[in-house]
Amino acid sequence: MRAEKSLFLGTHPFERQVWPNGKTFFNQVSEFMILHIDMDAFFAAVEQRDNPELKHRPVVVCGNSPRAVVSTASYEARQFGIHSAMPLFQAKQLCPHLIVVPGHREKYAAASQQIMAIISKFTPLVEPVSIDEAYADVTGCSTLFGPPPVIARQIKQTLFTHLALTCSIGIAPVKFLAKIASDMNKPDGLTHITREQMPTVIQTLPVHQVPGVGKQAMHRMKELNIQTLGDIQRFDVTLLTKKFGKFGRRLYQLCRGLDEDRIQPRAARKSISSETTLETDISDEQTARKILLSLAGRVGRELRKKNRVCESVSIKIKFSDFTQITRTRKTPARTCSTEAIFHQARLLFEQVKLTQKIRLLGVGVSHLQPKHAPVQMALLSLPEDNTTKQWESVDQAMDRIFEKFGREMVTPAVLNPLKNPSPGKGGQMTRTSAKKLIISGKVQGVYFRLETRKAALQAGVDGYVKNRADGSVEAVFQGPTQAVDQMVAWCHQGPPAARVDQVTVETLALQPDTNGFDIRY
């Protein structure tokens, strides 16, 4: 049996009784009790388990580029002061013999499924909150498995026996204290906070350890001279709400040991996001848009893989001074289309006034719903609804190609490195061209120009589109010849609500100053 660190803050309300046949059982005094199971340095622990040469050595899981940040650090690495989200170059300065291991997300996901399955053997009320942590409601499970500390030990031992991984478990009558308890005695720890001990824990708990209290909240805490969670009891709910918004009401409850948050078994993911730290800081907006498109593609594929749609899109920008902002907007309709996600992300990005270079970009979606869940139908269908469905069909076809041949087989032209002329095989340059189109028919109006711009951005071409006085539309496309030809074909068909009668095409000389795709007036 492994040595285990345990911390019991009080006695648990269970009585050992004996059946007439001599077998013992536990009789539970009515008590709501929650476990928070948190795997220890999960990604690094999986790598150390699978590669014996990494055991007892300082290991971090992350990319190995100069701008990479640490995803997970082993406890051997943490002894040098290395922690998650630390830039890799700083980690190497602290520990020159640091071992950097690239991440294997599929392997971690498989281990996570095994972990959740083991926990579910002890209670059906399991709420995964991330790939390496979960809540479990063990209220009423004492007759089968014993009191919560006994259940926690069985979970820890089963995980170690079957997966060779350790975890730390916190036990408390409420979720937020269970989470805090799991962090008190890491790694491989077990901490039990009973209801009788809760007032003392709350009075002495540093407020920065409360889930949800970030940097902005801490500034306001200092203004109010709040150092512990118990200090918040001095203030009424009105003042707390004024200072902290909706979170103020929750703080009012937490400082009194109240937590209305209940276990949501197998809770569906509430959001999906993807972000990337750039090799070098950038200030070029066109480059940023290309990155946003790539991130939107990753998020869109994950949405479609889980058969879900989103109702909100957000972006995250971290600047060269490490300050960061997030922006969110609702989508006009539920979607899982990469193009629709990118369109919303681009609109959010264009609202940001850039005053310094960008270090990191991220795209996320939230308010997720099952794709085929009932939805209130609009009284009038909009033309963009059909366009979105068309793009979703394209996305699904690309997803099948990715699954069969790999992600590098097909990529939007804007993300293709050959878009920018550079020596190719045999030293040849990538072919580029520019063409002007005059499009006649039912084509004038904001709708046609917006859809043309969307298609051009997706294809990765520069240029413009504008109305002409004679009722036609003029469009210029410049970029890789294949992408330009793709736009010419698109204009012959036009978006769903338009009617294209005639298209004339004229080849132009390349314009070196053309950058981006604009709607002109």
Side-chain angles (χ1 to χ4, degrees):
M1 182 71 177
R2 298 177 301 108
E4 173 194 87
K5 298 187 294 182
S6 299
L7 178 62
F8 291 87
L9 304 179
T11 58
H12 52 77
F14 289 83
E15 300 172 348
R16 181 184 296 271
Q17 298 189 6
V18 182
W19 290 106
N21 61 8
K23 292 186 177 181
T24 62
F25 70 97
F26 294 93
N27 183 35
Q28 181 184 23
V29 179
S30 180
E31 177 79 271
F32 188 72
M33 199 59 69
I34 302 296
L35 308 185
H36 181 257
I37 301 97
D38 191 7
M39 304 305 295
D40 297 322
F42 181 50
F43 294 171
V46 171
E47 298 297 342
Q48 289 178 315
R49 177 196 67 181
D50 294 347
N51 185 353
E53 295 182 359
L54 299 178
K55 288 188 176 181
H56 311 300
R57 301 181 69 181
V59 174
V60 295
V61 175
C62 65
N64 204 11
S65 69
R67 304 297 296 274
V69 296
V70 174
S71 175
T72 305
S74 68
Y75 281 93
E76 295 83 0
R78 297 183 191 192
Q79 294 176 2
F80 292 87
I82 299 170
H83 56 79
S84 298
M86 173 181 282
L88 180 58
F89 78 90
Q90 291 184 7
K92 289 183 174 180
Q93 289 174 353
L94 294 173
C95 179
H97 57 288
L98 184 68
I99 300 174
V100 180
V101 179
H104 301 90
R105 183 157 291 275
E106 293 81 6
K107 182 164 60 174
Y108 309 146
S112 178
Q113 290 179 352
Q114 294 173 308
I115 291 165
M116 301 307 165
I118 288 173
I119 299 171
S120 298
K121 292 180 179 179
F122 295 88
T123 172
L125 301 178
V126 178
E127 178 185 344
V129 289
S130 72
I131 196 171
D132 65 343
E133 63 176 315
Y135 290 101
D137 184 349
V138 295
T139 305
C141 297
S142 60
T143 303
L144 290 174
F145 302 109
V150 174
I151 296 175
R153 285 197 186 95
Q154 292 181 68
I155 291 174
K156 287 167 62 66
Q157 185 61 41
T158 305
L159 289 173
F160 186 77
T161 300
H162 291 276
L163 304 179
L165 297 172
T166 65
C167 69
S168 296
I169 298 182
I171 311 171
V174 290
K175 284 179 75 173
F176 88 98
L177 282 181
K179 181 174 178 63
I180 290 170
S182 69
D183 199 44
M184 285 183 172
N185 208 19
K186 272 184 164 290
D188 198 17
L190 173 60
T191 303
H192 182 194
I193 301 175
T194 66
R195 188 167 296 279
E196 293 80 8
Q197 196 67 23
M198 282 175 57
T200 301
V201 173
I202 288 172
Q203 286 296 330
T204 59
L205 180 70
V207 72
H208 68 82
Q209 294 184 14
V210 177
V213 175
K215 292 182 179 180
Q216 295 297 325
M218 280 304 300
H219 288 314
R220 298 185 180 94
M221 296 288 183
K222 291 180 181 179
E223 293 174 359
L224 298 173
N225 194 28
I226 296 174
Q227 298 180 2
T228 69
L229 182 58
D231 291 340
I232 299 177
Q233 295 176 0
R234 305 195 309 262
F235 305 97
D236 60 32
V237 67
T238 302
L239 187 143
L240 291 172
T241 303
K242 182 179 179 180
K243 287 288 185 179
F244 301 97
K246 292 181 180 179
F247 189 55
R249 183 174 294 278
R250 179 162 174 79
L251 288 171
Y252 180 83
Q253 295 175 333
L254 297 185
C255 73
R256 289 163 173 78
L258 305 174
D259 188 355
E260 297 177 352
D261 194 8
R262 294 292 180 257
I263 299 296
Q264 302 177 35
R266 293 291 171 185
R269 291 179 66 175
K270 298 178 180 178
S271 63
I272 295 174
S273 63
S274 180
E275 61 183 46
T276 182
T277 300
L278 309 177
E279 293 287 343
T280 57
D281 294 347
I282 64 170
S283 57
D284 176 49
E285 294 186 6
Q286 188 70 6
T287 301
R289 291 190 186 97
K290 293 178 183 178
I291 296 169
L292 290 175
L293 176 58
S294 176
L295 295 172
R298 297 181 199 172
V299 172
R301 283 192 295 273
E302 187 71 12
L303 263 181
R304 295 187 292 275
K305 182 178 179 181
K306 297 185 177 300
N307 205 28
R308 294 191 169 270
V309 291
C310 69
E311 295 180 349
S312 296
V313 175
S314 60
I315 63 169
K316 174 182 176 182
I317 305 175
K318 182 181 288 186
F319 297 103
S320 54
D321 65 353
F322 287 87
T323 60
Q324 68 180 42
I325 61 171
T326 57
R327 298 288 186 269
T328 304
R329 64 182 289 137
K330 289 186 68 66
T331 58
R334 296 177 179 181
T335 186
C336 61
S337 160
T338 292
E339 193 280 334
I341 295 170
F342 167 65
H343 178 63
Q344 298 298 322
R346 181 179 56 78
L347 293 177
L348 288 168
F349 179 76
E350 291 175 351
Q351 294 172 2
V352 177
K353 185 177 181 181
L354 297 179
T355 58
Q356 53 182 310
K357 291 186 175 181
I358 299 172
R359 176 183 176 84
L360 174 148
L361 280 170
V363 172
V365 293
S366 56
H367 297 94
L368 307 187
Q369 302 290 338
K371 185 174 182 180
H372 300 295
V375 61
Q376 177 68 46
M377 299 296 291
L379 293 176
L380 296 174
S381 61
L382 299 175
E384 52 264 33
D385 293 341
N386 293 327
T387 304
T388 298
K389 291 178 181 179
Q390 287 182 329
W391 280 117
E392 288 181 359
S393 298
V394 173
D395 289 332
Q396 291 167 4
M398 292 182 66
D399 291 343
R400 289 192 291 270
I401 295 173
F402 289 153
E403 185 176 349
K404 188 172 183 179
F405 299 105
R407 295 184 179 180
E408 303 304 320
M409 182 59 64
V410 178
T411 183
V414 71
L415 301 180
N416 192 327
L418 296 180
K419 177 181 185 298
N420 296 316
S422 57
K425 292 183 179 180
Q428 295 180 349
M429 305 295 284
T430 302
R431 291 181 59 197
T432 58
S433 60
K435 294 183 179 180
K436 181 171 75 172
L437 280 64
I438 306 299
I439 308 157
S440 303
K442 185 183 176 183
V443 292
Q444 283 211 337
V446 175
Y447 168 67
F448 188 91
R449 284 174 288 161
L450 283 174
E451 291 303 309
T452 302
R453 185 172 187 267
K454 284 183 187 179
L457 290 173
Q458 188 78 8
V461 298
D462 300 322
Y464 66 84
V465 60
K466 69 176 184 179
N467 286 342
R468 288 162 52 99
D470 61 1
S472 62
V473 167
E474 177 182 314
V476 169
F477 305 110
Q478 177 171 300
T481 298
Q482 184 177 1
V484 171
D485 291 343
Q486 175 184 332
M487 285 307 304
V488 172
W490 185 91
C491 287
H492 274 84
Q493 179 179 357
R499 188 192 75 246
V500 176
D501 295 333
Q502 183 180 2
V503 178
T504 60
V505 182
E506 176 186 352
T507 300
L508 301 178
L510 294 177
Q511 304 295 317
D513 296 332
T514 302
N515 186 26
F517 196 91
D518 303 320
I519 295 177
R520 296 185 180 178
Y521 299 94

